[in-house]
Amino acid sequence: MDHITFLVAVVIVTALAFDFTNGFHDTANAMATSIATGALGPRTAVLISGVLNVVGAFLSTEVAKTISGGIVDDTLVTPGMIFAGLVGAILWNLMTWLVGLPSSSSHALFGGLIGAVWVGAGEHGVHFDKVVEKVIVPAVASPVVAGVAALAATYLAYKITERAKKKPVEKGFRYGQIASASLVSLAHGTNDAQKTMGVITLTLISAGALGHDAGPPVWVIASAGLAIGLGTYLGGWRIIRTMGKGLTEIQSPQGFAAETASTTVILTSAHLGFALSTTQVASGSILGAGLGRRLAEVRWSVAGKMVIAWLVTLPAAALVGAVAAYAVKHGGNFGTTVVALIGVAVAGGIFLASRRNPVHASNVNDAHEVTLRTEPPARVGTAA
């Protein structure tokens, strides 16, 4: 416990805060389609997802090891660098949540860490070969693989049931969605909770509390699982609206196909230690499911915005992480305090902005776009 300094404790708390934002930012990956089709009520969906995220956190630690000793040189990393990287990741998560954009929490984390370590330790502090192998290649391949799998599964689902009565088919697939969405939640906990485990483990290694190449302790696994589970339960309703209603109008056979494809890709990658984006996988699956149903409408403008966000996320978070790392490196404790205060202020401003046009369990299926008001909503009894 002598290694747990005040800065290390701050970094651990910040990592869990990121994990929390990761949870509500990515709830849509598992439950958006089930909520959109009515297979699960909104509150029931996020409760199931939150619980299974916690369970999933205990299933594997391969992705955590990739982060704690893979993409950066753990012998050169300091807690201050990790703190700076987390600030970049959290702020990007909150900004994209505000506009209902399903960007990658994973790439926000990787970008923040890469930018912070590059500034704090130099170019040689980042293992760019591992970044390409474990992050970039899966980022390109995973949504394509998931999309093709979901397209094929959707086509087969409608082909096999084309002569059956519509209502029993819909009912059957809705029951199937409960199982498939639950598996996505389990897979999400297995994949995404590990990223925070990896960050905390990296912090403990850098502080000398753990040996190099060490895996995450049990308390790290448990705390990361609980943080992401709590975030998931609160529900990222703004992104759920975009994922459930924004890309295409989802029917239960499509939802089942998309969720099954997502689960397969995420669990396979977690087993192999690929720290991929579950957001990209789920989005690719939903898009593939939309293309797999004849006459289904796919909103390409929304898909285009998502792809742009995917491309921008890693460098944007890296830039914020780099600026924060510069302040921490040259400002010491004062610089760290300034970065923390600015981060809290920006996060508070984003939250206040979200209250101008709230999205919640009661209105999540009302529309397919999240809009931001420039003025507060009119009070009851006044002109709108």
Side-chain angles (χ1 to χ4, degrees), residues 7-87:
L7 178 57
V8 170
V10 169
V11 174
I12 292 172
V13 171
T14 307
L16 294 176
F18 165 78
D19 205 22
F20 178 82
T21 67
N22 192 164
F24 74 73
H25 196 281
D26 290 4
T27 308
N29 299 343
M31 292 300 175
T33 52
S34 293
I35 292 171
T37 63
L40 287 168
R43 288 295 181 190
T44 302
V46 296
L47 175 60
I48 292 172
S49 188
V51 170
L52 289 174
N53 267 212
V54 176
V55 175
F58 287 87
L59 296 184
S60 174
T61 58
E62 291 303 314
V63 174
K65 293 175 183 176
T66 295
I67 293 171
S68 63
I71 64 175
V72 294
D73 188 341
D74 60 13
T75 63
L76 300 176
V77 173
T78 65
M81 295 178 203
I82 299 171
F83 171 73
L86 287 167
V87 169

Side-chain angles (χ1 to χ4, degrees), residues 9 12 24 28 70 81 83 91 111 174 184 216 218-219 236 253 255 275-277 282-283 303 328 349 354 366:
I12 292 172
F24 74 73
M81 295 178 203
F83 171 73
L91 292 182
R174 284 184 179 181
V184 177
V218 174
W219 70 265
L276 54 71
S277 165
S283 301
V328 171
S354 73
D366 287 355

Side-chain angles (χ1 to χ4, degrees), residues 34 36-40 167-180 251-253 256 259:
S34 293
T37 63
L40 287 168
K167 285 188 176 181
V169 168
E170 287 282 333
K171 186 176 181 180
F173 275 111
R174 284 184 179 181
Y175 283 125
Q177 273 193 276
I178 296 173
S180 58
Q251 295 181 355
S252 54
F256 177 77
E259 291 156 3

